[in-house]
Amino acid sequence: MSEKFRQRFRIDNNRFNFIQIGKIFCFFDKLIVKKLIFAQFLKSRVIVVTVAVIYKAVGIMKSEPDNFYIVFFKKFRDKFCGIRISTRPDYINKEILDILKSYGVTSIELGAQSMSDDVLFANDRGHSAESVFKSSELIKSYGFSLGLQMMTGLYKSDIQKDLYTAETFVKINPDTVRIYPTVIMKDTKLAELYLNGEYTPYSLEKSVNLCSKLIELFEKNNIKIIRLGLHY
């Protein structure tokens, strides 16, 4: 393992600061959620492990009793400081949070993207601003660290709506935020809207000016920005 890699992730030989699980969507069956956490734990614990090893581990667990997962995590919990996952705002409930709590999950991020219902609807997000409020409150009541993710320049959004989303985040008071300026990907509905002249992305200057305001707002309110675009 290179020293640069070790410093980037603040890794020592005996303890791992954080396991990042970016795509644990909690609408999966609760058993699948457990297997995904387990597999990602193995991957992060060893740092480099073949895909075959991960699949083998998950395959073995199909016939194991439910408490096998709990026993495993209790055995190795002292080897990491926490697990961060990301999920949808509308698939958080007490049952899911009980499962995540039992596995040592410490931080939950919600892909809120916008706090304007018309923007969420136009972009087929499938959740409402209200679900972000409710899930955030529930997550915090369980003692998890809360992270919120927003996207700037979405279809049917504008500068004022993006600022409103950020200001609403401040009221919710998450521990962390991620800011993702919208990028058009080829062969997507957004690309189709762009080619048809129905969607105009922010210019680079406009996006930079907006993000600078968001940074100032979040930092002023002691909310840590852990990602801005692809690099920050």
Side-chain angles (χ1 to χ4, degrees):
M1 185 186 304
S2 70
E3 185 60 29
K4 182 178 180 181
F5 181 90
R6 189 183 301 277
Q7 291 178 357
R8 169 67 178 81
F9 293 97
R10 301 183 299 281
I11 291 172
D12 61 51
N13 291 327
N14 300 311
R15 192 172 177 84
F16 299 94
N17 284 355
F18 233 101
I19 298 173
Q20 174 73 40
I21 303 178
K23 294 185 179 179
I24 292 290
F25 292 113
C26 294
F27 57 83
F28 289 148
D29 177 87
K30 61 183 179 181
L31 187 60
I32 300 299
V33 172
K34 294 175 182 179
K35 289 179 180 180
L36 285 170
I37 294 175
F38 183 89
Q40 288 291 335
F41 173 82
L42 286 179
K43 184 178 178 181
S44 299
R45 172 75 176 85
V46 182
I47 297 302
V48 178
V49 62
T50 65
V51 174
V53 171
I54 295 175
Y55 280 118
K56 182 178 179 181
V58 174
I60 290 173
M61 290 190 294
K62 289 180 180 179
S63 59
E64 295 290 346
D66 187 65
N67 65 1
F68 171 80
Y69 306 97
I70 301 296
V71 171
F72 180 88
F73 273 88
K74 283 184 177 179
K75 182 176 180 180
F76 292 101
R77 184 171 292 179
D78 65 329
K79 296 298 182 182
F80 59 92
C81 298
I83 301 174
R84 174 189 292 132
I85 70 166
S86 301
T87 191
R88 294 174 56 97
D90 52 336
Y91 281 98
I92 287 293
N93 57 50
K94 291 182 178 181
E95 181 183 17
I96 287 294
L97 293 181
D98 285 337
I99 293 172
L100 299 180
K101 197 75 172 180
S102 69
Y103 281 86
V105 170
T106 51
S107 179
I108 300 176
E109 294 186 34
L110 299 177
Q113 316 312 355
S114 175
M115 293 302 287
S116 297
D117 282 334
D118 59 329
V119 175
L120 294 172
F121 180 79
N123 289 273
D124 296 324
R125 295 305 303 180
H127 69 267
S128 65
E130 182 62 24
S131 65
V132 179
F133 283 114
K134 290 182 177 179
S135 293
S136 296
E137 183 179 357
L138 191 58
I139 287 168
K140 293 169 76 172
S141 73
Y142 267 71
F144 292 104
S145 173
L146 173 66
L148 294 177
Q149 303 170 4
M150 68 174 291
M151 294 180 68
T152 62
L154 283 167
Y155 176 54
K156 294 293 185 181
S157 190
D158 55 36
I159 295 296
Q160 291 306 313
K161 289 180 180 178
D162 289 341
L163 288 172
Y164 169 76
T165 291
E167 290 164 356
T168 305
F169 278 13
V170 169
K171 293 178 181 178
I172 295 174
N173 193 31
D175 299 290
T176 62
V177 294
R178 294 178 191 258
I179 306 168
Y180 292 115
T182 299
V183 176
I184 303 172
M185 305 296 290
K186 186 178 179 181
D187 298 324
T188 62
K189 181 62 181 294
L190 189 62
E192 182 181 328
L193 292 169
Y194 170 70
L195 293 173
N196 291 338
E198 298 178 57
Y199 170 68
T200 302
Y202 292 164
S203 66
L204 177 60
E205 182 180 3
K206 190 173 184 179
S207 186
V208 169
N209 287 338
L210 170 62
C211 288
S212 66
K213 293 179 181 178
L214 300 182
I215 292 172
E216 183 178 2
L217 176 64
F218 289 132
E219 290 186 342
K220 178 182 177 181
N221 288 277
N222 298 313
I223 298 172
K224 185 176 181 181
I225 302 169
I226 58 176
R227 179 69 68 183
L228 173 55
L230 297 178
H231 305 284
Y232 178 63

